[in-house]
Structures are given as structure tokens and as C-alpha cells.
Amino acid sequence: MHLVVVVADGYDGRIVPELTLRAKVLDTSGAVLADRPLGFVWHPLLHHYGTDLELAKAGPYRVQVSVEPARMRRHEPTNGDRYEKPVFADIAWLTADRAPPHVDDASRLSFALAQGAAYRRSLATMSDGVAVDGASRRVGDYVVAYAVEFAEGYWYLANGSLKYAARVDESTETNAHVEVSVMDAETGRFLPGLAVTATLYKDGERVGSERAPFMWHPWVYHYGMNWRVRGAGRYALEVAFDRPPYAAADTPTRFPSGGRVRFDAVDIAVGQK
């Protein structure tokens, strides 16, 4: 059987990526039958955390799920001091005594396209209505988009507690924020868990490279990093990323490699939010 665990944001209902989960499966006597980490699963119907299990009977089972504090950076100055504590869920009693419902390929694609359309609407609002500049380009199995804003603060976990990086509000140490989104070209859904690197060039000269970590955002997930650039003007941006550390559940041969794309006309304005 396949154990599916969905972790959604308690405020807005979005699935939260890049978490660390573990699950125990127990029988009615309390004996532990399985104790596994749960990896992220790219799924045509619903992204989730999960693992395949081999169990001797249909149940019932008790499932205990632990979620470690979120380690991603999060843009949300007014409602961001969350995800600081570990979470434990004890779910009893689950059974696996019925066949899964049949979902045809057309329905699967329809669900995935609807999820991608919702994400792209948010991305378009960011690129066209909030950011200084933004654009997108297809490369292989992916669509890569960028948006450039003023430098901005974020929450991060340090020594077991949340901190807010407010230095952008207090100094000019950073003066620009470069955001990158990598999407599945077929459905438009955001791809979490990637190793993304952004490199900026000015007048043909390399300004620098930064690893762009995943950024939780109130309405559009992305990869991003605050920068210190020389000043406002036109830059070139190169985005490189490795293949996802997971296979697509519907098409395991999808995403066989990472990608690289260059945007040659990126307008950057400097400042702090």
C-alpha cells in the first residue's frame, strides 16, 4: 500500500513543501510495523508526502506522523511567526480494505492543470503588478520565471526558534531581491525541493552567484535571495538548477535532468521594502 500524508497550511490550506516528516504504523496491540521517513511525492492529483509499505493485512492500523519545525525562509512580516514547533498527529484507525477509485488520465491532467493555473495567476500578479521586472521562458520540461523586487525581510529558524531578518529595513547591506520560479511545463505547477543558483551579470561582467533557497510566500512560492548590487540598471540573469530529487508519480521519466536559462534584459531598481 501507499501511505499518503498531506500537510497543509492551517491559515490558507496550501500544501506546505520542503518539510521533514516521519511516520509510524502500529497494529491494534501497539506493535510498530513500520517506521519510515516520508519523502515528497510529485503526484498528478495531489502533491503529498508518502512511502510504499508492505503490510500483512488490511488493518486497522494506527498511524503516527511527526513533522519537524519548518526550515524554509518565509516572507510574511505580519503573520509569519508560525511553524516554529514540531507537530505530532496520531490517527486511528486506518484500514486498507477497499480498492482505490479509478481516475482516468484526462481527469488526472485536468486536476493538475487547475492547480497550475492557480499558481500562474499568483505568479502573474507578482511579475506584472508587484515586481520591478519579471519574465518567463520554457527550457525542456520546465518553465523558468523570475521577478525582481526591493530587498525584503523574512523569517528563518535559528537554534530552534524563529528570527526575523530585518536588517534590510535598517541598512543598505542588501538592496534587491531576485525571485525565481521553476514550473512543470506541462501543467504549470511549481516544483519544490530544487537546488537553484542565480547568477547576475552587468555589462558583461559577472556580479556574483547566489544559491536561491525556497521561499514560503503568502501567495506565490518561489526561490529567492536578497542581493547587494552596484545600482539600478539593466542586468543579465542566469538561472541553473538540478533535477528534482523525486520522480513524478505519473511519469517517472519526466524531469530526467535539470536546466539552465539566461535572461539578458533584467531591469533592477534598488531599495528596501
Side-chain angles (χ1 to χ4, degrees):
M1 67 179 66
H2 183 70
L3 177 63
V4 175
V5 175
V6 176
V7 182
D9 183 278
Y11 180 71
D12 59 33
R14 290 180 299 168
I15 292 175
V16 183
E18 303 213 0
L19 296 175
T20 300
L21 278 72
R22 194 169 191 91
K24 288 184 179 180
V25 179
L26 302 87
D27 64 16
T28 53
S29 70
V32 176
L33 304 178
D35 185 353
R36 303 273 184 83
L38 300 181
F40 180 80
V41 178
W42 174 272
H43 195 274
L45 293 179
L46 184 68
H47 296 336
H48 61 270
Y49 298 89
T51 186
D52 289 336
L53 298 171
E54 184 175 349
L55 300 173
K57 58 180 182 178
Y61 298 106
R62 190 182 201 110
V63 178
Q64 297 176 338
V65 179
S66 59
V67 184
E68 293 186 10
R71 297 188 177 277
M72 81 278 281
R73 299 177 179 185
R74 293 182 294 113
H75 294 311
E76 196 180 17
T78 59
N79 191 31
D81 53 344
R82 303 178 293 138
Y83 302 156
E84 183 178 16
K85 305 298 182 184
V87 173
F88 179 79
D90 192 346
I91 306 161
W93 295 96
L94 297 181
T95 62
D97 57 357
R98 63 183 178 88
H102 173 71
V103 181
D104 59 51
D105 291 341
S107 297
R108 288 173 183 263
L109 181 59
S110 176
F111 282 119
L113 288 171
Q115 295 168 42
Y119 179 79
R120 289 196 304 273
R121 286 195 298 270
S122 296
L123 184 65
T125 300
M126 172 66 75
S127 297
D128 301 336
V130 177
V132 175
D133 191 16
S136 64
R137 184 170 301 159
R138 178 163 182 169
V139 50
D141 290 329
Y142 311 96
V143 171
V144 180
Y146 78 87
V148 179
E149 296 189 76
F150 296 151
E152 54 189 320
Y154 53 83
W155 292 93
Y156 65 101
L157 193 68
N159 299 320
S161 61
L162 283 172
K163 309 291 184 183
Y164 187 70
R167 65 186 183 187
V168 295
D169 303 319
E170 302 163 355
S171 72
T172 57
E173 183 175 345
T174 56
N175 58 8
H177 185 71
V178 178
E179 302 177 352
V180 173
S181 175
V182 183
M183 294 161 280
D184 169 31
E186 181 182 19
T187 64
R189 292 182 296 173
F190 176 77
L191 283 154
L194 304 183
V196 176
T197 300
T199 304
L200 284 177
Y201 299 86
K202 176 67 173 170
D203 300 326
E205 182 180 345
R206 183 176 176 273
V207 176
S209 292
E210 294 282 357
R211 171 72 181 270
F214 172 73
M215 286 279 189
W216 187 100
H217 189 277
W219 41 280
V220 57
Y221 292 156
H222 61 270
Y223 301 92
M225 193 70 182
N226 285 332
W227 286 69
R228 174 68 184 176
V229 296
R230 303 169 188 174
R234 178 153 290 186
Y235 290 75
L237 169 65
E238 185 176 79
V239 176
F241 53 94
D242 296 338
R243 69 173 301 276
Y246 43 81
D250 56 337
T251 312
T253 56
R254 194 186 300 179
F255 315 133
S257 62
R260 183 181 296 269
V261 62
R262 182 182 172 104
F263 300 92
D264 287 315
V266 178
D267 291 324
I268 295 181
V270 296
Q272 296 85 34
K273 279 191 173 181

